[in-house]
Amino acid sequence: MVKKPAPDASRRSERSRRAIYAAALALVVEVGYPKTTVEAIAARAGVGKQTIYRWWPAKADVLLEAFLDLAEQAARELGQEPYAIPDTGDLAADLRAVLRATVDELLDPRFEAPSRALAAEGVVNEQLGREFVAKLLEPQLQLYVDRLRSAQDAGHVRADVDPRIALELFVSPLAQRWLQHTGPISHAYTDTLVDYALNGLAPR
Amino acid sequence: MVKKPAPDASRRSERSRRAIYAAALALVVEVGYPKTTVEAIAARAGVGKQTIYRWWPAKADVLLEAFLDLAEQAARELGQEPYAIPDTGDLAADLRAVLRATVDELLDPRFEAPSRALAAEGVVNEQLGREFVAKLLEPQLQLYVDRLRSAQDAGHVRADVDPRIALELFVSPLAQRWLQHTGPISHAYTDTLVDYALNGLAPR
């Protein structure tokens, strides 16, 4: 059985953990993923290499946790519950709200630079890309799946629609504009995406 | 006035140009954009550095042309006219056809590796990203704008829809799945996107 750490040790650990997250995120921005080593993270965080290896098997795992932590912080600051999309019964309003919050997060400089560095590496490094999609992106997309399923139950979304594909009609345009600089992002833009996706491009 | 080159010189130039395109595309895959220098392209293509500088101001311009050439070749091999989306009067059928051809192109190994290398660089190098979007991606997206405008004239697309945003409902999901490995791509998938985008997720 593992002994519960004394309060002092626990505070020290928490401080080290935060320093390691910050160091990993800063390095991936400054030197890119390939050159972000466990050694460099340890040196910058002011901890021993063994401290990192005690908690994480490899640098990808450190970065993954640093990102999860960053995303949760951002969601809390925006007053959002990080693990669910609200269901007020008005699907359009709920989607507009969560996408507006996502726009704010994507435009937050703390979030933007490390996300770009990691996304760029994921484009060319298929293994890392798939791991980060599975652990970071897909769980967020599943929140849309849940919300669209409950809308299907309420008769607000066609019964024959696959929610995992449907969510891409508003999530992917925002992702591509942000990632590839193909256009500006704003609340008005994501509101428009929700309108087009729910109501369709063809006249009703 | 510039003298028309003798046929021999012209053939030689064309051969050099092709060798330079091939070298540039191979290098960007093997060593990445930052390490793809004009010197390395020249050495691999078996031409002098000055030959490259005579035709292009910088490596970004060489790569841009190499890509345009590759995309035109791919379109021709697929039996497509590279500069227009057909207008048969059936918008859904026309979009399904062009998106199916795009899926085939994205899955073509000749196209895939250099596109990924360049897309990854564009994510972190905003200037290059914007240049390639403006010169490579945006002209292709404008073909969708043209097709959607003609559909609006025919009453097949809502008059209040902005075609430049509307096209993202089917183009961006495909781009994100391919670029970020967020899901498989296939003809069935893009057919589904066209259905959802035109008819909407809400019941009619």
Side-chain angles (χ1 to χ4, degrees), chain A residues 77-111:
Chain A
E77 282 170 29
L78 292 164
Q80 283 186 298
E81 185 52 49
Y83 306 115
I85 294 173
D87 184 352
T88 66
D90 181 342
L91 176 63
D94 293 346
L95 292 177
R96 281 195 299 265
V98 68
L99 287 165
R100 283 172 173 225
T102 305
V103 167
D104 295 341
E105 189 178 324
L106 291 175
L107 295 176
D108 180 337
R110 283 175 310 165
F111 183 84

Side-chain angles (χ1 to χ4, degrees), chain A residues 142-165:
Chain A
Q142 283 301 316
L143 307 181
Y144 288 96
V145 171
D146 295 342
R147 185 63 190 85
L148 289 169
R149 284 235 171 85
S150 98
Q152 274 179 321
D153 293 342
H156 301 151
V157 164
R158 285 158 53 187
D160 67 324
V161 153
D162 177 342
R164 180 57 190 79
I165 297 178

Side-chain angles (χ1 to χ4, degrees), chain B residues 9-21 23 37-59 61-62 65:
Chain B
S10 167
R11 264 201 299 276
R12 213 161 42 234
S13 292
E14 180 58 21
R15 216 162 44 224
S16 297
R17 190 178 290 269
R18 299 245 140 247
I20 291 164
Y21 288 163
T37 60
V38 167
E39 287 76 2
I41 297 171
R44 186 164 185 141
V47 302
K49 211 167 86 169
Q50 286 316 312
T51 303
I52 294 184
Y53 282 123
R54 197 159 60 230
W55 289 333
W56 300 280
K59 69 173 178 179
D61 306 282
V62 184
E65 277 200 23

Side-chain angles (χ1 to χ4, degrees), chain B residues 148-163:
Chain B
L148 289 169
R149 284 234 172 84
S150 98
Q152 274 178 322
D153 293 343
H156 301 151
V157 164
R158 284 156 54 185
D160 66 326
V161 153
D162 177 343

Side-chain angles (χ1 to χ4, degrees), chain A residues 3 10 16 104 114 175:
Chain A
K3 254 199 333 187
S10 166
S16 297
D104 295 341

Side-chain angles (χ1 to χ4, degrees), chain A residues 162 168 172 176-177 189, chain B residues 158 168 172 176-177 189 196:
Chain A
D162 177 342
E168 297 175 47
S172 298
Q176 188 180 28
R177 281 197 176 206
Y189 167 66
Chain B
R158 284 156 54 185
E168 297 175 47
S172 298
Q176 188 179 28
R177 280 197 176 207
Y189 168 66
Y196 292 0

